[in-house]
């Protein structure tokens, strides 16, 4: 009788031990991988200043770097090329354009590559950005009625992770959280000065600003 009573308890212990030995499946995740953006800008040795096409290219690069670029923006000039002097002048103008677009001088780096005596060689812009990678979501569902181990199916959360990979603005956020921006010390000092003198610290509305909701659709 004692042996018979112990059998159900022993079987239950074996089932629990088997469940504990199974490692839980990890949920699908959207990931990000680094890639190098490399853009060549042709430079004509006869040009005097940037052309309209070069200005548009530089503006597009500045926008992409500000949105998703990481690390330095490297500008490489062609060494030992027939248009080296024109390339250096174009790089100087490009650096000014990048600065006017909101990039700091510390974000812009320089380099050189061997043009091997080519008469005309491009200026090369390069930087690192991240590409989002969505998980591979299997089609259909397995029969989970006989899944006695309590494990999650690999399809759970897969569509959500795939949508996240498609929508994220900067894929690097999937791997590393963003740091806080530098505080606005001027605004902070203004708030402290007003607080000390008993003045309101909130931003004052101008004469053309109003928080009143329009009643145009009430009638």
């Amino acid at each position: 009788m004692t042996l018979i009573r112990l059998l159900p308890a022993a079987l239950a212990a074996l089932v629990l031990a088997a469940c504990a030995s199974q490692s839980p499946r990890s949920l699908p995740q959207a990931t990000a991988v680094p890639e190098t953006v490399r853009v060549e800008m042709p430079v004509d040795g006869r040009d005097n200043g940037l052309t309209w096409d070069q200005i548009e290219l530089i503006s597009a690069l500045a926008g992409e770097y500000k949105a998703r670029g990481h690390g330095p923006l490297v500008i490489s000039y062609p060494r030992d090329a027939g248009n080296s002097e024109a390339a250096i002048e174009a790089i100087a103008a490009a650096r000014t354009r990048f600065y006017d677009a909101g990039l700091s001088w510390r974000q812009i780096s320089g380099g050189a590559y061997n043009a091997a005596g080519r008469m005309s060689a491009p200026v090369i812009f390069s930087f690192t950005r991240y590409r989002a990678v969505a998980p591979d979501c299997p089609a259909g569902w397995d029969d989970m009625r006989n899944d006695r181990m309590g494990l999650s199916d690999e399809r759970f959360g897969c569509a959500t992770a795939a949508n996240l990979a498609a929508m994220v603005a900067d894929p690097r956020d999937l791997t590393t959280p963003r740091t806080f921006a530098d505080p606005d010390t001027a605004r902070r000092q203004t708030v402290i000065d007003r607080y000390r003198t008993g003045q309101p610290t909130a931003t004052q509305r101008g004469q053309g600003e109003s928080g009143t909701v329009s009643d145009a659709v009430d009638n």
Side-chain angles (χ1 to χ4, degrees), residues 13-110:
L14 289 175
V15 171
L16 292 176
C19 293
S21 63
Q22 296 289 335
S23 58
R25 297 172 184 160
S26 59
L27 294 176
Q29 299 289 335
T31 58
V33 294
E35 61 182 9
T36 300
V37 177
R38 185 179 185 275
V39 178
E40 296 183 358
M41 184 179 75
V43 177
D44 193 325
R46 299 167 296 180
D47 290 339
N48 184 14
L50 297 175
T51 65
W52 289 112
D53 290 341
Q54 291 171 335
I55 292 174
E56 291 180 0
L57 175 62
I58 292 170
S59 298
L61 281 170
E64 179 66 16
Y65 180 80
K66 290 171 64 178
R68 287 173 285 274
H70 297 279
L73 171 59
V74 181
I75 309 176
S76 302
Y77 75 93
R79 185 175 54 209
D80 192 20
N83 62 337
S84 293
E85 293 185 4
I88 292 176
E89 294 179 1
I91 289 174
R95 287 172 60 90
T96 302
R97 291 271 177 179
F98 284 132
Y99 180 78
D100 293 339
L103 276 69
S104 67
W105 296 118
R106 292 178 297 177
Q107 293 176 293
I108 305 172
S109 180

Side-chain angles (χ1 to χ4, degrees), residues 5-6 29 38 41 52 58 83 109-110 112 117 121 127 139 150 185 199 201 209 219:
R5 292 177 180 177
L6 290 177
Q29 299 289 335
R38 185 179 185 275
M41 184 179 75
W52 289 112
I58 292 170
N83 62 337
S109 180
F127 60 89
T185 55
Q199 301 179 20
T201 57
E209 297 176 304
N219 299 327

Side-chain angles (χ1 to χ4, degrees), residues 176-210:
T176 304
R178 298 194 185 190
T179 58
F180 289 103
D182 295 334
D184 188 348
T185 55
R187 175 60 186 168
R188 180 171 57 185
Q189 188 61 44
T190 299
V191 172
I192 293 176
D193 293 340
R194 288 183 178 180
Y195 177 79
R196 288 173 176 172
T197 58
Q199 301 179 20
T201 57
T203 303
Q204 301 297 317
R205 292 183 179 271
Q207 295 180 353
E209 297 176 304
S210 174

